[in-house]
Amino acid sequence: SPEDSNIALNLANTLLALGRPKDAQQLLTSAPQTAAAANALGISLYVQRDWQSASAHFRHATKLSPGFAGAHENLALSLLHEEKFEEGWQEYEWRWRNPDNGLTPRQLDMPQWDGSCLGDQQLLLHAEQGFGDTLQFVRFGSLIPKAGGNITLAVQAELVSLLEGMPWANEVISLDEGLPSADVHAPLANLPSLLDPTGHLVRSNGAYLSLPDPSSKFPESTYKQATGVRIGVCWAGRPRHVEDPYRNRSCPAEAFQPITELEGVRLVSLQTGISSDETESDPGAALFDQPHLPLNTFLETAHEILRMDLIVTVDTAIAHLCGALNRPGIVLLPYAADWRWGSGNGPAPWYPSLEMIRQEAAGKWSTVFERAILQINKQYPLNQS
């Protein structure tokens, strides 16, 4: 039934899930054009890093079906890749209405803040997505025109101790404790559209996290007595797109083996969020030393990052934390990386201290690590044999 658009769409989506976007693209190009098919065609082009063409198909899908929230959100991500921030942030508002991403807007008995001067008002800012999103967008809080107003920042429990030192926030609380009343509220990822819609301030000028002074909880590190270069590493993020090599951002721990062979290098695991069983079953995990302290909060992880000479990580919250601290790092990216990492290699768009290295072919990490080793040798010549 070549005329059956539903069958063609199902097959195309299966091909996309199998990491075969070119086959999906070929099928959808000749299939009847429905909003769902145009959206799937856009996805097939998006993961091949053709964001301009992807945007055109997502836009076509929204014209065929103006209320298609998934296509609107996909258009937002593609526009942000193209650095068309103003329209991208507007389309990003559709994330709340897209049933596929699991986001549910908080039903709060207060109006949303419109970006105007607070005056004597109380603003409730609340995190909405992952740890990395919170760390990425929290720096826009310094741009909020307070003029005597108060700001309560509600974030994930693991981030409270790290962010309670933000000078512009009057109070930092955990989302788990429930949200207090305020005059106005705003989701954290709304701040760019309210305060920097054209994206002029996307690139930070340095560290925007100020850590509390180390106390007895963070004693002087024994690493200081060790010679060589200390590299903190992280190899796995949340298990999304695991079977899709175009978008799977995690790499095997043993892929770090070539770095361990560099002279004078010591690798320290900053990996969190996976069970001890998973760590023990991964033969590559034995390559790494353990951190100075157990990493239960991001404040503890931040202090560990400050002890390192360099961070080498896949796309996880560790990358955002490293960038927010303005510490040197290398971010290892999949072929079709998230929009926030831009489109090429070199300095990261949001963080001047981070260098990006992305796959040249989907699922192939070998060339990524080859380039990472070149970068490490460039920064630390003692590693050259």
Side-chain angles (χ1 to χ4, degrees):
S1 300
E3 75 289 346
D4 193 320
S5 59
N6 289 325
I7 293 176
L9 178 61
N10 288 341
L11 177 56
N13 284 331
T14 303
L15 292 168
L16 283 170
L18 291 170
R20 295 168 56 186
K22 292 181 181 179
D23 292 336
Q25 176 190 351
Q26 183 178 8
L27 175 64
L28 290 165
T29 300
S30 59
Q33 278 295 291
T34 62
N39 180 63
L41 181 53
I43 293 172
S44 71
L45 291 160
Y46 182 97
V47 300
Q48 293 178 73
R49 307 198 299 213
D50 185 355
W51 294 294
Q52 186 173 5
S53 298
S55 293
H57 288 286
F58 293 140
R59 203 182 299 277
H60 182 52
T62 63
K63 288 181 179 178
L64 292 173
S65 179
F68 190 174
H72 278 286
E73 185 177 5
N74 287 336
L75 175 58
L77 302 181
S78 195
L79 290 169
L80 292 171
H81 258 298
E82 295 184 77
E83 298 186 357
K84 296 180 179 179
F85 292 106
E86 196 157 11
E87 185 184 4
W89 295 131
Q90 291 173 3
E91 292 289 336
Y92 198 48
E93 286 295 309
W94 283 87
R95 69 192 184 277
W96 300 108
R97 297 165 63 180
N98 180 6
D100 292 336
N101 66 16
L103 277 179
T104 302
R106 294 186 174 92
Q107 302 300 323
L108 302 177
D109 189 20
M110 62 191 87
Q112 278 208 30
W113 180 53
D114 61 3
S116 60
C117 183
L118 289 180
D120 59 355
Q121 293 186 104
Q122 175 85 23
L123 168 64
L124 172 63
L125 277 181
H126 44 95
E128 63 183 68
Q129 300 181 50
F131 298 125
D133 299 275
T134 301
L135 291 168
Q136 179 184 10
F137 293 118
V138 76
R139 69 181 176 84
F140 288 97
S142 64
L143 302 179
I144 296 173
K146 293 180 68 174
N150 288 324
I151 300 174
T152 296
L153 175 63
V155 297
Q156 298 91 332
E158 296 88 340
L159 286 168
V160 171
S161 59
L162 173 70
L163 299 178
E164 59 189 1
M166 301 297 283
W168 50 266
N170 298 87
E171 183 183 22
V172 179
I173 63 173
S174 169
L175 290 168
D176 296 339
E177 298 173 359
L179 297 178
S181 60
D183 297 304
V184 288
H185 80 98
L188 201 56
N190 277 22
L191 293 187
S193 65
L194 293 170
L195 302 171
D196 183 32
T198 59
H200 290 307
L201 301 177
V202 157
R203 190 170 176 83
S204 65
N205 294 319
Y208 57 86
L209 289 185
S210 54
L211 301 188
D213 291 334
S215 64
S216 58
K217 190 175 181 182
F218 304 103
E220 197 70 18
S221 173
T222 56
Y223 296 149
K224 294 197 173 186
Q225 284 74 48
T227 59
V229 177
R230 300 176 300 277
I231 301 179
V233 302
C234 185
W235 62 92
R238 285 188 296 170
R240 296 187 300 175
H241 310 301
V242 172
E243 301 301 327
D244 182 351
Y246 281 81
R247 292 180 285 182
N248 182 16
R249 62 186 185 176
S250 298
C251 72
E254 58 264 29
F256 283 84
Q257 175 70 43
I259 298 181
T260 67
E261 296 172 0
L262 293 174
E263 180 184 349
V265 164
R266 178 180 183 181
L267 300 188
V268 179
S269 171
L270 301 181
Q271 183 66 55
T272 60
I274 59 177
S275 68
S276 58
D277 290 341
E278 289 176 293
T279 302
E280 291 171 2
S281 66
D282 191 335
L287 297 170
F288 315 119
D289 292 337
Q290 292 307 301
H292 189 61
L293 292 170
L295 305 180
N296 298 314
T297 69
F298 277 89
L299 179 59
E300 292 164 343
T301 302
H303 279 280
E304 198 70 14
I305 286 174
L306 294 179
R307 294 185 176 105
M308 299 295 109
D309 297 299
L310 179 70
I311 303 299
V312 179
T313 177
V314 296
D315 177 9
T316 70
I318 296 295
H320 293 279
L321 180 56
C322 183
L325 294 168
N326 201 38
R327 297 292 297 168
I330 297 173
V331 186
L332 314 172
L333 297 172
Y335 186 84
D338 196 74
W339 63 269
R340 66 202 76 213
W341 301 113
S343 58
N345 294 314
W350 290 73
Y351 307 108
S353 68
L354 301 185
E355 288 285 322
M356 306 178 300
I357 303 176
R358 66 188 68 224
Q359 292 176 346
E360 297 176 3
K364 303 297 184 184
W365 288 105
S366 57
T367 56
V368 174
F369 279 90
E370 288 170 5
R371 296 188 63 175
I373 288 172
L374 291 175
Q375 184 67 27
I376 294 169
N377 277 326
K378 179 181 177 182
Q379 291 183 236
Y380 305 100
L382 66 89
N383 296 298
Q384 296 182 11
S385 56

